[in-house]
Amino acid sequence: ISNRQLQRYFKEHFHMTPSQWVRRLQCHLAKELILQGFSSKAAAADLKFGNESHFCREFKKIFAASPQMFSPGFQDRQKCRP
């Protein structure tokens, strides 16, 4: 199977390119790390994003929210606000 055939098959069955699928998977894994207390920077580095700003941009595309909104401390800070 050629690379192009694989891309067409992937697009047909998953409705996204292989690179989009990988990026989506990375963001879901990053969300899990952040929920466990990892910083955005640490999650980006662990998942091999080029830099933190690129990671945040991709994360926002998928979740429509910044990575910080999923950090354990964010929920606590929101409860304290009047």
Side-chain angles (χ1 to χ4, degrees):
I1 187 167
S2 73
N3 191 26
R4 182 66 187 132
Q5 287 174 310
L6 177 61
Q7 289 174 348
R8 281 194 299 268
Y9 177 85
F10 213 91
K11 183 89 170 168
E12 181 182 332
H13 291 282
F14 295 106
H15 309 289
M16 64 182 81
T17 66
S19 60
Q20 289 170 329
W21 182 84
V22 167
R23 190 59 79 199
R24 189 174 189 84
L25 176 62
Q26 285 176 309
C27 287
H28 281 276
L29 293 171
K31 180 181 170 188
E32 293 302 315
L33 291 175
I34 291 166
L35 286 168
Q36 293 174 22
F38 281 66
S39 68
S40 298
K41 191 172 189 172
D46 282 0
L47 295 168
K48 309 296 186 225
F49 279 88
N51 58 51
E52 188 180 3
S53 62
H54 180 239
F55 162 67
C56 289
R57 198 167 41 252
E58 293 296 322
F59 193 94
K60 285 179 188 178
K61 283 182 193 175
I62 292 171
F63 295 110
S66 70
Q68 290 77 20
M69 291 187 72
F70 292 93
S71 69
F74 183 80
Q75 299 300 328
D76 295 336
R77 288 189 299 275
Q78 293 302 312
K79 290 176 187 174
C80 294
R81 289 189 177 173

